[in-house]
Amino acid sequence: MRVSNICKSFGGNKALEDVSFETSGNLAIVGESGGGKTTLLRILAGLETADSGTVEYDGKIGFVFQDFNLFPHMTVWENITIAAPDADIGLLARLGLESKKDEYPCNLSGGQRQRVAIARALALDPDILCFDEPTSALDPLLTDSVAELINSLDKICIIVTHDMEFADKVAKKKLIVDARSNAIYKRKGA
Amino acid sequence: MSFGEVNLKLLEGFQLNCYLYILTLLFSLPLGLIFCYLRMGKSKAIMQGVIWFLRGSPLMIQLFIVMYVPGLLFNIPIKSRFTVAVIAFSINYAAYFCEIFRGGIESIPKGQWEAGQVLGLSKWAIERKIVFPQVVKKIIPPFGNELLTLIKDTTLARVIAVPEMLMASTEFTTKGLIWPLFYTTVFFLIATAFMTFFLKWLEGRFAYYEG
């Protein structure tokens, strides 16, 4: 994925200024709240339009929302197959959801809902998977299992998080997006 | 006049109330949906004015407008009074349904649309598969209120001389029989009881999920 000179303002307030980066592996986007991390992720996924700049990538992109945005009137399996009718049922077993196939999201725990959201994104076989604050809606004890899950996916994962420790676990590369200095690209490791 | 004869006469009138009720729903629901999309789209200002008029002026006046205006302005009077009632009721109730639909659609979190979008679903597929089923659940209570009100409102058709049940009962009062006028309440109570059971059943059908 190659991102060049992304700028975005909301009503005169600059959210992102001249953000550029390139990655072929997992990338964690970190920084303080309100710094533009989520805005950047939404631009990458096509949910927001940048004022200027380009986003280039090969293949398909998937997105896992902070609050999952599961469809409450559909069962787990219906959520997964709504856009991928030929989804492999093995996905459920892979994510530990085999017994939850016919449950509605309201009957699932936060961790299970997240796994359904991940399964729904994976069902479309994306090449890049975006995660918006994957640990914020979960019990802190689940952080390690989420990191494990992300690392087990054979995808380029772009993860927005405010948790530096979690960022270290899921990505070698980090992009620090800071509200005060707008966007600064820093590499760590890799 | 015997109890049976009064019942027969009142039932004849009530049949018209029922026809008016069913036809009003049949036309006002799709019309309300069209109003809703116009209200949320580019015709917002015009539709706000139209809905303000339809909800802000008495239905009785609207009945007279549909009754007389086409004839006075365009020389095409609507001859059937029952048709006038159906048109006026349908347009009036469409305005209320429009606002109920709009409230329902706007109550669906933006994230639901976005989730559909990132899954590559078309706008139409998002509306049909994701938004609409959730809107139905959310609008049952306000929609139910209108369904109950409409049962009683159908008696207003008497002002343009549609011989519905209340009109039939007032004819008895001219003959010195006052009790049929109060007796009509029984018909409406039975009809609203059926509707209340139906609405409870419908709410139960959507109770399988929270949201």
Side-chain angles (χ1 to χ4, degrees):
Chain A
M1 171 176 265
R2 184 184 298 123
V3 171
S4 316
N5 313 105
I6 292 286
C7 294
K8 178 74 180 174
S9 300
F10 292 103
N13 295 323
K14 280 178 185 168
L16 296 167
E17 194 176 4
D18 207 22
V19 179
S20 301
F21 68 86
E22 201 175 323
T23 186
S24 54
N26 286 5
L27 171 78
I29 302 174
V30 293
E32 62 187 32
S33 295
K37 306 186 295 288
T38 295
T39 302
L40 177 58
L41 194 72
R42 288 170 61 84
I43 289 170
L44 302 184
L47 288 170
E48 301 267 0
T49 316
D51 297 335
S52 60
T54 55
V55 177
E56 295 164 81
Y57 57 85
D58 292 325
K60 282 188 280 188
I61 197 160
F63 199 98
V64 179
F65 293 89
Q66 185 173 1
D67 45 8
F68 320 135
N69 289 341
L70 297 179
F71 307 128
H73 59 300
M74 294 181 184
T75 63
V76 165
W77 187 240
E78 285 167 346
N79 262 280
I80 293 169
T81 53
I82 183 175
D86 303 323
D88 176 13
I89 197 140
L91 250 182
L92 290 175
R94 192 174 153 204
L95 290 158
L97 293 165
E98 59 271 61
S99 64
K100 304 292 176 191
K101 181 172 171 274
D102 299 318
E103 291 282 0
Y104 287 92
C106 61
N107 299 324
L108 302 177
S109 69
Q112 288 165 340
R113 285 181 204 185
Q114 185 182 53
R115 278 179 278 146
V116 176
I118 294 171
R120 185 172 70 177
L122 287 176
L124 290 167
D125 196 22
D127 302 278
I128 302 164
L129 198 48
C130 298
F131 289 85
D132 187 11
E133 296 280 7
T135 57
S136 69
L138 300 179
D139 188 318
L141 295 170
L142 290 172
T143 306
D144 281 348
S145 64
V146 176
E148 247 174 64
L149 179 59
I150 289 174
N151 286 324
S152 72
L153 301 172
D154 188 22
K155 311 281 175 195
I156 297 172
C157 293
I158 302 186
I159 307 113
V160 158
T161 182
H162 62 275
D163 180 345
M164 287 299 278
E165 207 181 312
F166 179 74
D168 280 334
K169 287 175 188 162
V170 291
K172 286 180 182 166
K173 264 185 179 179
K174 286 178 201 67
L175 176 70
I176 300 175
V177 179
D178 188 292
R180 282 163 301 185
S181 54
N182 290 307
I184 305 162
Y185 178 38
K186 288 182 185 169
R187 276 174 184 245
K188 187 176 174 185
Chain B
M1 195 170 258
S2 72
F3 182 68
E5 283 171 318
V6 170
N7 262 317
L8 209 64
K9 193 82 185 152
L10 289 181
L11 272 173
E12 270 176 34
F14 193 58
Q15 210 176 354
L16 277 183
N17 291 83
C18 292
Y19 288 149
L20 181 55
Y21 185 80
I22 292 164
L23 289 172
T24 299
L25 283 183
L26 203 68
F27 294 119
S28 61
L29 284 171
L31 191 61
L33 204 58
I34 294 169
F35 279 4
C36 175
Y37 278 99
L38 292 172
R39 169 74 178 74
M40 295 198 305
K42 286 176 185 163
S43 317
K44 186 181 170 183
I46 297 167
M47 282 316 295
Q48 271 178 325
V50 170
I51 288 160
W52 169 69
F53 175 78
L54 290 170
R55 295 198 307 170
S57 62
L59 176 54
M60 194 194 287
I61 304 290
Q62 291 169 33
L63 278 162
F64 289 133
I65 291 172
V66 178
M67 174 98 172
Y68 296 118
V69 170
L72 289 172
L73 289 186
F74 313 108
N75 205 22
I76 40 166
I78 303 169
K79 295 210 170 110
S80 156
R81 284 164 190 262
F82 183 75
T83 308
V84 168
V86 171
I87 293 171
F89 271 79
S90 299
I91 295 172
N92 179 270
Y93 269 79
Y96 287 95
F97 290 146
C98 159
E99 289 302 276
I100 291 172
F101 289 143
R102 187 172 68 88
I105 292 170
E106 288 180 354
S107 73
I108 303 300
K110 195 180 158 206
Q112 293 285 299
W113 293 85
E114 289 182 343
Q117 201 181 326
V118 295
L119 289 172
L121 298 175
S122 67
K123 193 169 175 266
W124 167 238
I126 294 172
E127 287 187 1
R128 192 167 52 86
K129 294 179 180 173
I130 300 168
V131 176
F132 193 70
Q134 293 185 64
V135 167
V136 172
K137 176 172 172 140
K138 283 178 191 282
I139 67 171
I140 291 173
F143 185 67
N145 277 339
E146 294 306 321
L147 290 186
L148 292 175
T149 308
L150 176 59
I151 294 178
K152 294 167 284 172
D153 272 359
T154 55
T155 57
L156 214 55
R158 75 186 182 285
V159 300
I160 54 163
V162 172
E164 52 73 54
M165 186 168 59
L166 205 58
M167 190 169 173
S169 74
T170 51
E171 276 169 20
F172 288 115
T173 59
T174 59
K175 293 169 191 163
L177 269 184
I178 191 90
W179 67 265
L181 182 63
F182 303 112
Y183 179 58
T184 54
T185 312
V186 174
F187 288 82
F188 289 104
L189 285 175
I190 292 170
T192 50
F194 271 116
M195 190 47 72
T196 307
F197 281 126
F198 167 71
L199 290 166
K200 260 203 156 353
W201 171 81
L202 199 62
E203 275 187 41
R205 292 271 297 173
F206 283 91
Y208 63 89
Y209 76 92
E210 284 169 24

